Amino acid sequence: MAPIDFRLDGLSALFSPRSIAVVGASSSAQKIGGIPIDYALRFGFEGKLHAVNPKAAQVQGLGARPSLRAIGEPVDLAILAVPAALVHDAIEDAIEAGTRSVVLFSSGFAEVGDEGAAAQARLGRRVREAGLRLVGPNCLGLMNIRRNVYATFSPAPNAGRVQAGRIGLASQSGAFGAYAYSMARARGVGLSTWVTTGNEADVQLADCLAWLAQDPDTDVIMAYMEGCRDGPRLRAALALAQAHGKPVVMVKIGSTELGAQAAASHTAALAGDDAVYDAVLRRYGVLRARTVTEFFDLAHSAAVAGRPRGRSIGLFTVSGGVGALMADDAASHRLEVPPLGDAAQAQLREWVPFAAPRNPVDITGQVTNDFTLLERSAHLMLRDRGFDSWMGFLAAAGASDAFWPVLRDLVGSLRAAFPDTVLAISTLLSAERRAELEAMRCLVFDDPSEGIRTIAALAGLPAPGGTAGEVPGAAAAQAPVTLEPGTLGEPAALAMLARAGVPVVPHRVVRSGGEAAEAALALGGPVAVKVASADIPHKSDVGGVALDVQGPEAARAAFERTQAAARAARPDARLEGALVASMVAGGVECIAGVRHDPVFGPVLMFGLGGIHVETLRDVSLRVLPLGREDALSMVRELRAFPILAGARGRPAVDVDAIADTLVALAGFALAAGDTLDSVEINPLIARPRDRGGCIAVDALIVGHAAGPQAGAKA
């Protein structure tokens, strides 16, 4: 990806201003123009505060100015609380005054129709030309809780301020943002920054993520996204968060057709194919939350515990049944539950002869007779195996006042002895006691299954470091390819892919029955005869395919038969002869393709063919560029991968050859750039290595002339 300039200096003036002016300032603390001034005065904004109102001498005790220029010095942030008809003049005033950033509350832009969208586009162009950063229009604004910046008219802070913390929250929806603020306050989740982006004439959700990724006051990022207009910008922001080790937890709506339509009508955002969004989010290690509760649980847990070193976990329980439940949950979420060593197991049996000492470790209710067993057993487990995470189920013991000091001392001693281990306790605790354990970086769960799911999610976070946006092992760039608009015939498509490094079936292009006979003789063995026509992408539908053709004379007859059938079914089609190709015996039928997504550009798809792709939709997706390890992961993450790996005695196919083919296909798509609409290999036959690996049997390439087309499918 090309580097993205997020203009972070301007964003810092927006999110952490030293001076604020409210344009359209009101003396009423209940009006949109008065609420930000009231908040600044009540909540202790320490910078300079200005009121701009040409019709007032004073506003809430502040001397009012008729314009931003009249202030006499540039301000970092201007809050515009004016009707849409006055926005143009207010923006020009801000530009002439040297204002660095603007929050625009006003509605009446893209959300109301084409005329509003055109006005919004002009607004965006103007502020970008002037170097001004703008949030909105049609937004609730932003808050920097640590700096007491409340550039918002949301009533949520009036019901109680959220505590300062290290989680940044960005939302495209003002209503959701206000609800999330209230939930954070109710759940005791501390926030660093809160922002709603509205219609995104300038500042997009991606810009907010990029700023939060480099904000020293933020450790975890929460995001609510309805759609994205600039896929490369979003990817660059997520890559920045990954490089800085900032977990991102996101709610992305629009996963169904109905949901996508609702998102578009609400914000005029482009809600694309949810499977592509999911692939993008997984590419950058984003934790995708499906419910609001999960949204907060994951973010809060990431802020408390961080990322485990790996996927091994030690499970401790006072109930054998719950221990088995936790073990099952761990296995289903791909956590590793290795047994303790023989010596450690023997020690546990010496302490409690009827204990289950492997892992999970169950010391039963004996802990109520000897509280020291809890700490001794936990330390023994972690010394023996050095688990990346440790979780203890203590039933309702946490509700006991007598047991509380034991639990607090346990967590304290474990944290001191094993500072890099993710610790979790499942028991019943008051909010105050839960907060005390969380302050020691110990997760607390009422439900042990929820604890396992959360630890597994945290274990899936990417390791911090690396260069933002780089793709390890990405293939070298291929020579540029320019495609003509429309569909290429199969011979031309196979030739292009072969030049790109994709293994294609041996074949010849023929224009007569005699040439077909010669081709069959030269290729040897059974052949397929297929009509060659760019106008007929699905040749079998018109009787244009003959399979298992044996010998030259049969090939001659097959040529004549398929040509006649195609002419009868499609008299308008241009016939270019036929393709005679060797039949490929055995193997597993797969499909691979690239389509140009209107938001994220080229997206690679791989899956098993036939019923697996048509009915079960068992496919994997990656946005490009693609590294070889990514390609291998695509193959292995299919639900039907055991078929490729040699299920039930079948020979395993050459997975490395599939990965090489996917990398070559991705390279071709990047080389074709915006001239590619879609490319598909169907079928791609996967075979064992000693039988030639994988081979493309049929291919379809579609080019376009004027940039990617929304809705094109591979």
Side-chain angles (χ1 to χ4, degrees):
M1 292 187 299
I4 301 290
D5 181 9
F6 287 104
R7 297 159 56 206
L8 292 172
D9 287 345
L11 291 175
S12 292
L14 176 71
F15 287 113
S16 188
R18 293 165 296 182
S19 55
I20 297 176
V22 180
V23 180
S26 172
S27 293
S28 170
Q30 281 72 50
K31 292 187 176 180
I32 290 177
I35 293 172
I37 292 178
D38 176 56
Y39 284 165
L41 295 173
R42 276 199 291 140
F43 298 155
F45 173 61
E46 296 179 357
K48 295 180 180 180
L49 181 64
H50 306 279
V52 175
N53 187 328
K55 298 180 180 179
Q58 273 201 341
V59 172
Q60 297 188 46
L62 299 174
R65 304 297 178 92
S67 67
L68 288 168
R69 284 168 292 170
I71 293 173
E73 62 183 21
V75 296
D76 282 344
L77 172 61
I79 301 170
L80 304 189
V82 299
L86 301 181
V87 167
H88 176 269
D89 290 344
I91 289 293
E92 292 302 322
D93 180 34
I95 292 170
E96 291 182 29
T99 306
R100 298 181 65 194
S101 66
V102 167
V103 167
L104 179 57
F105 294 154
S106 312
S107 57
F109 289 88
E111 77 281 1
V112 299
D114 293 342
E115 186 176 338
Q120 180 175 306
R122 292 192 296 272
L123 171 67
R125 286 193 297 270
R126 182 66 181 116
V127 298
R128 284 190 291 274
E129 289 168 359
L132 188 71
R133 300 314 309 261
L134 179 143
V135 167
N138 188 32
C139 74
L140 273 182
L142 61 88
M143 302 178 235
N144 186 324
I145 287 84
R146 288 183 171 273
R147 306 267 190 264
N148 294 321
V149 173
Y150 286 81
T152 182
F153 66 93
S154 170
N158 264 329
R161 294 168 66 191
V162 73
Q163 67 186 42
R166 303 193 63 81
I167 298 175
L169 195 155
S171 171
Q172 289 181 322
S173 164
F176 183 89
Y179 178 70
Y181 179 95
S182 300
M183 275 201 70
R185 180 186 61 231
R187 296 177 61 130
V189 174
L191 301 181
S192 59
T193 301
W194 176 96
V195 58
T196 65
T197 58
N199 288 11
E200 300 188 349
D202 173 43
V203 172
Q204 302 174 29
L205 180 72
D207 296 277
C208 302
L209 301 183
W211 189 83
L212 291 169
Q214 301 185 76
D215 173 29
D217 290 334
T218 299
D219 292 336
V220 176
I221 302 169
M222 300 175 72
Y224 172 88
M225 182 168 67
E226 296 175 339
C228 174
R229 295 182 179 91
D230 189 340
R233 197 171 196 84
L234 177 62
R235 293 181 62 185
L238 295 176
L240 269 177
Q242 184 176 355
H244 285 79
K246 304 284 182 77
V248 177
V249 183
M250 183 178 290
V251 171
K252 164 64 180 76
I253 67 165
S255 60
T256 65
E257 183 178 356
L258 179 62
Q261 291 171 352
S265 63
H266 180 52
T267 64
L270 295 175
D273 184 348
D274 188 68
V276 176
Y277 275 100
D278 206 53
V280 171
L281 300 184
R282 285 188 288 108
R283 161 68 180 82
Y284 296 100
V286 174
L287 301 180
R288 186 171 182 181
R290 304 290 177 172
T291 67
V292 175
T293 298
E294 187 181 28
F295 188 43
F296 278 91
D297 287 345
L298 288 174
H300 182 59
S301 296
V304 168
R307 172 184 175 273
R309 298 182 304 262
R311 303 194 69 86
S312 69
I313 186 168
L315 300 173
F316 176 90
T317 180
V318 295
S319 163
V322 175
L325 173 66
M326 291 194 295
D328 288 344
D329 288 336
S332 67
H333 289 90
R334 297 185 301 107
L335 291 175
E336 301 162 7
V337 190
L340 298 184
D342 292 342
Q345 292 191 43
Q347 180 64 75
L348 285 168
R349 286 196 187 93
E350 182 178 327
W351 292 340
V352 182
F354 40 85
R358 284 178 53 80
N359 188 21
V361 169
D362 175 18
I363 59 169
T364 73
Q366 187 65 21
V367 68
T368 58
N369 293 324
D370 182 357
F371 284 165
T372 69
L373 274 175
L374 180 57
E375 187 169 330
R376 282 187 284 151
S377 300
H379 278 264
L380 175 65
M381 291 176 69
L382 286 167
R383 284 197 307 270
D384 183 65
R385 279 292 180 260
F387 297 110
D388 302 314
S389 304
W390 180 90
M391 181 170 175
F393 173 73
L394 304 176
S400 164
D401 289 338
F403 189 75
W404 166 242
V406 177
L407 181 55
R408 182 181 54 203
D409 291 347
L410 166 71
V411 173
S413 69
L414 289 178
R415 178 52 65 222
F418 308 99
D420 297 327
T421 301
V422 168
L423 301 177
I425 295 291
S426 177
T427 189
L428 302 179
L429 287 175
S430 66
E432 294 76 17
R433 289 175 176 177
R434 175 188 293 262
E436 189 171 341
L437 294 190
E438 289 175 343
M440 291 187 275
R441 295 189 296 119
C442 177
L443 298 170
V444 180
F445 301 96
D446 296 337
D447 179 356
S449 294
E450 178 191 349
I452 296 296
R453 286 194 299 270
T454 300
I455 291 171
L458 297 179
L461 289 169
T467 302
E470 70 178 10
V471 179
Q478 298 181 12
V481 174
T482 301
L483 300 174
E484 296 297 324
T487 303
L488 275 68
E490 183 182 357
L494 288 174
M496 277 193 166
L497 293 176
R499 287 194 294 271
V502 173
V504 303
V505 63
H507 65 276
R508 290 191 178 186
V509 180
V510 301
R511 301 187 183 278
S512 68
E515 289 183 3
E518 292 173 4
L521 185 62
L523 291 169
V527 297
V529 179
K530 299 183 282 185
V531 166
S533 173
D535 296 330
I536 307 177
H538 303 293
K539 298 171 284 294
S540 59
D541 293 348
V542 299
V545 177
L547 302 177
D548 287 314
V549 177
Q550 303 278 351
E553 291 309 312
R556 185 195 306 272
F559 176 89
E560 302 296 349
R561 184 172 67 253
T562 54
Q563 295 286 304
R567 277 193 296 269
R570 288 288 306 275
D572 60 314
R574 295 163 298 167
L575 302 187
E576 301 159 3
L579 183 141
V580 180
S582 297
M583 290 294 297
V584 179
V588 179
E589 183 177 328
C590 302
I591 183 172
V594 176
R595 74 174 178 92
H596 212 299
D597 182 82
V599 175
F600 295 105
V603 179
L604 177 68
M605 177 269 290
F606 173 75
L608 267 61
I611 189 173
H612 296 284
V613 69
E614 294 173 4
T615 305
L616 303 180
R617 303 184 66 83
D618 184 16
V619 298
S620 56
L621 298 174
R622 292 292 186 280
V623 289
L624 302 187
L626 178 86
R628 194 171 186 280
E629 285 303 315
D630 283 329
L632 287 169
S633 295
M634 288 184 73
V635 180
R636 291 170 178 152
E637 72 187 35
L638 294 178
R639 296 191 299 275
F641 175 69
I643 295 174
L644 297 173
R648 308 194 74 173
R650 294 187 177 192
V653 306
D654 188 350
V655 172
D656 288 328
I658 297 176
D660 291 338
T661 299
L662 294 178
V663 170
L665 182 60
F668 168 77
L670 292 173
D674 285 348
T675 68
L676 175 71
D677 183 84
S678 63
V679 53
E680 179 178 292
I681 302 172
N682 184 20
L684 175 71
I685 302 298
R687 301 175 297 181
R689 183 171 303 175
D690 60 4
R691 294 183 57 190
C694 71
I695 190 165
V697 174
D698 197 351
L700 178 69
I701 295 176
V702 180
H704 56 72
Q709 300 171 355
K713 298 287 184 181

